[in-house]
Amino acid sequence: AYERKCRYFCRKTNSVVVCVGYRLAPEHPFPAQFEDCLTATIHFLRNAQDHGVDPSRVVICGDSSGGTLTAAVAQALVNRRDLPKLRAQILIYPFLQCVDLNLPSYQQNWGVPILLKERTLVFGLKYVNLDLGLIKELFKGCHVSEDRRLKYQKWVSPDYIPHEFKTRGYKPSPTHRPSEEICELVESLFDPVFSPLLAEDSVIAQLPETFILTCEFDVLRDDGLLYKKRLEDHGIKVTWCHLQEGFHGTL
């Protein structure tokens, strides 16, 4: 599915392009996919010159769940002193958090193909091998403990979504009491490898220059907007492209 895209990038940018054939869930459960991408990236950084590549000019890129993996790999490498620094990361409509599934973009685009709101969570729960019966409770936010809610509200909140992205309709969601049982069950959803938007400030502040692409008709639009804000708040240079007519899968 991606070979033609990779060949296109290769031709148009005059770059060496490496496509990682990481193992897939559910046969290979989380975090095998992240580990494969991290291993491949480290190997390439160490051996870039064998491929005629300047190791100081390596960029990592991914779309959708590949954007999640790209963000997670970039975060995992910030404290590696034994490797060249990444030149940049490219995040194309990435999934970045599972704290608030009622952000404006989730409300506005819940029924927009190809990534319907419910389908997003089905994919996520299959990825971390959790029961799909949890979906309704997750949509209500019952999986977020009070402690987590307090911690994450400074990073994940509709308050940080610019007003122009709320004009198609947005209603603040009622707050539901967290379920202790569900909070314990879904611990993996808050791992920054699964939800890179939840990484600590000390990690975010060291990330490389970033390109983020968002699409108006995409449940994940606001994940990209929130990550853009976090990066910029820490002085990271961000190039942002928003496709006003775009939808998830536009690439």
Side-chain angles (χ1 to χ4, degrees):
Y2 278 82
E3 183 167 339
R4 285 183 65 196
K5 290 185 185 71
C6 290
R7 288 182 178 275
Y8 178 84
F9 289 147
C10 189
R11 285 197 312 272
K12 290 291 184 180
T13 64
N14 193 28
S15 302
V16 171
V17 173
V18 179
C19 185
V20 183
Y22 56 84
R23 291 168 292 169
L24 300 178
E27 293 79 7
H28 300 281
F30 170 87
Q33 299 69 25
F34 162 74
E35 289 165 353
D36 287 354
C37 291
L38 181 61
T39 300
T41 306
I42 290 170
H43 175 79
F44 190 75
L45 285 168
R46 284 182 173 149
N47 299 280
Q49 288 171 319
D50 295 348
H51 302 277
V53 172
D54 178 347
S56 70
R57 298 186 66 193
V58 175
V59 177
I60 57 174
C61 170
D63 76 311
S64 194
S65 56
T68 315
L69 291 165
T70 299
V73 167
Q75 292 179 4
L77 293 174
V78 296
N79 290 316
R80 292 291 295 259
R81 301 290 172 251
D82 58 325
L83 295 167
K85 289 285 186 192
L86 290 173
R87 173 64 186 85
Q89 61 175 341
I90 296 173
L91 310 177
I92 300 170
Y93 36 74
F95 171 92
L96 297 170
Q97 60 86 31
C98 204
V99 173
D100 189 343
L101 299 164
N102 288 296
L103 291 169
S105 61
Y106 270 102
Q107 289 190 18
Q108 294 161 352
N109 303 309
W110 65 272
V112 176
I114 54 174
L115 195 63
L116 312 178
K117 176 175 174 174
E118 187 162 326
R119 182 176 289 173
T120 307
L121 203 47
V122 167
F123 288 159
L125 292 176
K126 283 185 174 180
Y127 181 37
V128 289
N129 200 25
L130 287 172
D131 184 355
L132 298 185
L134 295 168
I135 285 179
K136 283 185 179 172
E137 298 306 303
L138 266 66
F139 281 155
K140 291 194 292 187
C142 298
H143 63 302
V144 188
S145 67
E146 292 296 347
D147 287 350
R148 283 209 162 103
R149 199 166 280 166
L150 282 171
K151 177 178 180 178
Y152 296 147
Q153 69 184 7
K154 62 182 184 286
W155 302 331
V156 184
S157 168
D159 295 345
Y160 302 135
I161 304 299
H163 176 72
E164 62 264 31
F165 293 102
K166 298 175 181 174
T167 55
R168 285 199 292 124
Y170 166 67
K171 287 200 301 192
S173 302
T175 304
H176 294 271
R177 287 174 60 85
S179 157
E180 202 171 311
E181 182 188 358
I182 292 174
C183 290
E184 286 177 18
L185 271 176
V186 302
E187 192 78 25
S188 53
L189 299 184
F190 304 104
D191 184 335
V193 169
F194 182 86
S195 295
L197 185 56
L198 307 183
E200 296 297 331
D201 287 338
S202 58
V203 172
I204 298 291
Q206 298 182 72
L207 287 168
E209 185 176 344
T210 301
F211 175 95
I212 297 176
L213 184 138
T214 54
C215 292
E216 179 60 29
F217 299 100
D218 180 7
V219 289
L220 301 183
R221 179 196 70 202
D222 294 349
D223 283 23
L225 296 178
L226 292 172
Y227 206 49
K228 171 181 178 287
K229 181 184 186 303
R230 277 206 78 191
L231 292 165
E232 290 176 337
D233 285 350
H234 286 278
I236 308 299
K237 183 180 177 186
V238 178
T239 301
W240 172 52
C241 174
H242 182 67
L243 302 182
Q244 196 59 47
E245 303 296 324
F247 54 90
H248 196 88
T250 289
L251 184 68

